[in-house]
Amino acid sequence: METLTQNIQSIPLNHYIILCSVIFSIGVMGVLIRRNAIVIFMSVELMLNSVNLLLAVFSVYHNDPMGQVFVFFIMALAAAEVAIGLAIIVMVYRNTNSLDINVLNRLKW
Amino acid sequence: MINNYIWLIPILPLIGFIITGLGRNALSKGVIGFIGSTVVLLAFVVSLLAFLQINSTGQAINVNLFSWIKVGYLDIPFAFLVDQLSSIMLLIITGVGFLIHLYSIGYMHDDAGFCKFFAYLNLFVFFMLLLVLGSNYVIMFIGWEGVGLCSYLLIGFWFSNPSYADAAKKAFVMNRIGDLGFLLGVFVIYRVFGSVSYADVFDKAAKMHTGDSALVLITIMLFIGATGKSAQIPLFTWLPDAMAGPTPVSALIHAATMVTAGIYMIARSNILFTMSPVTMHIIAIIGITTAAFAALIALTQTDIKKVLAYSTVSQLGYMFLGLGVGAYTGSFFHVLTHAFFKALLFLGAGSVIHAVSGEQDMRKMGGLRKKLPITFLVMMIGTLAISGIPPFAGFFSKDEILAHAYEHNPIIWVVGVLTAMCTSFYMFRMMYLTFFGTFRGTEEQEHHIHESPASMTIPLIILAILSSIGGFIGIPGHHWLQGFLAPVLEKSTALLEISASNLSASAEYTLMGISVAGAVIAWLYAWSKYRNNQNIPVADTEERPALTNLSYNKFYVDELYDTIIRKPLDALSVFFYKVVELLGIDGLVNGLGGGTMATSKKLRLLQSGNVGFYIFMMVIGVIAVLVYNLFGF
């Protein structure tokens, strides 16, 4: 346990932040640009994971387990979200034979 | 002991109102008429017993029914006070009221609203009794408003005629103006004395200085209330218009009872008024001006009820003159006799109108003496009484007021005597135009002429008897009424006697002689001018001499009020409606609604349903929030 903490702390905090920002931005770009609903979904997971990573790192640097608790919460939340989201996506595919979100504009007023 | 049954006096007519009002569709006219009259008769019996007890013991009856309003220091019990003053008023209201109910059974017999009419009459009697019985100003105010309401309902009884409905509205609005004054007066009374009950207020007032500004304010306010209810300048124009109501209403409300409420109220508060001489002067001047002014208008009227209406205004002016010069007894005496002979005259006029199929224009009457012998006889008695010919009732009361006016100021007396001459002239003019000469109406009307049924003539005869002998309760020297009312007026009399110089008997007889001579001269002048169909007033379309025209058109007072009050108010309300309401308030409210609608019309286009676009906007939003937080824009 000690070594793990030391290993994490051996890399400067800035590097983590930059890495997470990059991953997060990739996720955002994926969400914005891609048209396939499943890929968008995966991009969202990417964003969540970048945040999780950052939370874990901060938690280690501050000697505060709170961050890691939050990571678990977020993962549980993401799992639930995936269950519902995939169900929705399956239903959408059945109805439209497509996963292109630009086709999905029937939910407006 | 009658004390335990005083509450029956107002309750009986109220019960009558409830029965006649609720049963108006279920009960027959005979039953309604019987119930409506009987309750008033029973109230009269109770009032008579109360009067007899007071007459024998001289003690006022105080009945505390229940605690009504009790908030903090304000404690207003629902209590009745029957003393010398109110017991006489009770007799007038229930006695004359009963006769008029009886008369109405005959007069209103063919009217579709017969039952409604009796319900209103009973309600009126209830409120009037409340006004008189109350032992504090607040209960008086309930009655005061109630009689105003009933007056409105009854003037507008034939409301399907728009001009009648307008007359009702006019009466209502004018009365409200006066009522505001009365109400403010009561507020000031409470502020100054900390109580509204007569006993407390008068006791405390008697210890103040004469001419205290608070007293002046109170009395002026109360007097404004009185001018509204009792049709004095400047609020007198509603009373002649009130003749739109059925004739029994004119007799009961607009001659015998409601219009005397102002006089009753001032006589009741006599100590307050006696202690503010300024108000007394104002009352005297308003009174005599109204008396003369209304008499001048009455000279040329052609509608039989309008003549009587202006004569009522004029007589009420006399009563206020009496109050203003401190002749409270004389004034109240005139209230009493006037109730008899004016009710008689109105009911007589009703009998005439009934006979000639609803015609009210004297130009189309004439020669009714032979066909309506009873009506003619009683009307003659009423005319003699109001003209001040001895020994009829009006002579004594009017001369008592005039004698006091002479002590006060000879100029007022001169105007008073001239007014009395006018009274005599227009009353005999009315008699000659109506009953003498030959009939001038249509043949159909002439064929129809008949004496009224017994239910109408009996009240007339009773009132005629009262008008003949009623004056003897106040003969100078043996003034029963003065002695009777003395306890009520005790405090004022003590104050007034310091200043008053009593007239010698010979001077008083001279004054009487002059006024009687004046009345007789006016009578003879009317006789020379109007007997045998001479000088029938011209039709409305023809030219009149300037002065006659002025009087015929009521000195254009209504038109004056129209110009200086109604038109500016109308213009103001049009301004408020068109500019403030339509542009300002409506514009604001509708503008908000319209603005929201227009914006949403544009904004809803953002809802394209395109998920990518939504997410893009979300990210833009997140970035905006971040930028805002990080850089603190």
Side-chain angles (χ1 to χ4, degrees), chain A residues 43-56:
Chain A
S43 302
V44 171
E45 292 302 314
L46 212 53
M47 283 154 72
L48 286 174
N49 275 336
S50 75
V51 173
N52 278 348
L53 177 58
L54 208 51
L55 274 171

Side-chain angles (χ1 to χ4, degrees), chain B residues 240-379:
Chain B
D241 284 21
M243 296 304 127
T247 308
V249 172
S250 311
L252 178 61
I253 300 184
H254 306 123
T257 54
M258 182 184 98
V259 289
T260 60
I263 291 130
Y264 168 77
M265 185 258 290
I266 292 181
R268 169 64 76 201
S269 334
N270 59 77
I271 180 67
L272 302 180
F273 284 85
T274 309
M275 291 186 68
S276 50
V278 185
T279 322
M280 294 286 271
H281 283 300
I282 296 173
I283 295 177
I285 289 163
I286 295 271
I288 189 67
T289 319
T290 312
F293 195 68
L296 286 177
I297 295 176
L299 287 179
T300 56
Q301 296 303 307
T302 54
D303 183 318
I304 185 165
K305 280 175 79 180
K306 282 269 165 79
V307 174
L308 292 175
Y310 278 107
S311 140
T312 305
V313 176
S314 175
Q315 298 302 312
L316 290 167
Y318 268 117
M319 295 171 205
F320 275 100
L321 168 64
L323 296 172
V325 297
Y328 295 109
T329 316
S331 193
F332 199 69
F333 187 21
H334 203 53
V335 169
L336 183 66
T337 57
H338 180 258
F340 297 150
F341 59 69
K342 190 49 72 62
L344 168 64
L345 284 166
F346 264 117
L347 295 183
S351 177
V352 170
I353 294 166
H354 193 70
V356 294
S357 324
E359 181 60 63
Q360 299 196 9
D361 195 331
M362 292 193 294
R363 287 173 293 201
K364 294 183 185 135
M365 294 179 185
L368 297 176
R369 180 169 43 128
K370 301 253 165 54
K371 286 171 179 140
L372 307 172
I374 301 175
T375 307
F376 167 69
L377 196 67
V378 296
M379 286 280 280

Side-chain angles (χ1 to χ4, degrees), chain B residues 456-522:
Chain B
M456 289 167 69
T457 48
I458 290 170
L460 285 173
I461 293 166
I462 297 172
L463 285 171
I465 294 168
L466 287 171
S467 306
S468 316
I469 60 170
F472 290 101
I473 58 169
I475 310 171
H478 305 278
H479 207 306
W480 171 81
L481 191 67
Q482 193 164 34
F484 184 66
L485 288 180
V488 180
L489 305 170
E490 200 182 356
K491 293 185 183 111
S492 306
T493 324
L495 272 173
L496 285 167
E497 262 171 14
I498 302 166
S499 56
S501 61
N502 280 320
L503 279 179
S504 66
S506 63
E508 206 169 331
Y509 286 126
T510 317
L511 294 180
M512 275 184 196
I514 292 172
S515 63
V516 172
V520 173
I521 290 167

Side-chain angles (χ1 to χ4, degrees), chain B residues 50-59 84 87 480 484:
Chain B
F51 168 77
L52 290 175
Q53 183 185 323
I54 290 171
N55 194 24
S56 60
T57 62
Q59 293 288 316
Q84 287 80 355
S87 68
W480 171 81
F484 184 66

Side-chain angles (χ1 to χ4, degrees), chain A residues 19-37:
Chain A
L19 174 68
C20 286
S21 303
V22 169
I23 298 174
F24 189 86
S25 301
I26 291 169
V28 170
M29 293 316 283
V31 168
L32 288 181
I33 292 167
R34 297 306 295 259
R35 294 163 64 190
N36 188 314

Side-chain angles (χ1 to χ4, degrees), chain A residues 31-32 102 104-105 108-109, chain B residues 604 607-610 615-616:
Chain A
V31 168
L32 288 181
N102 286 342
L104 289 180
N105 58 359
K108 64 180 176 182
W109 46 274
Chain B
R604 74 174 185 174
Q607 262 193 322
S608 59
N610 191 327
I615 298 170
F616 178 67

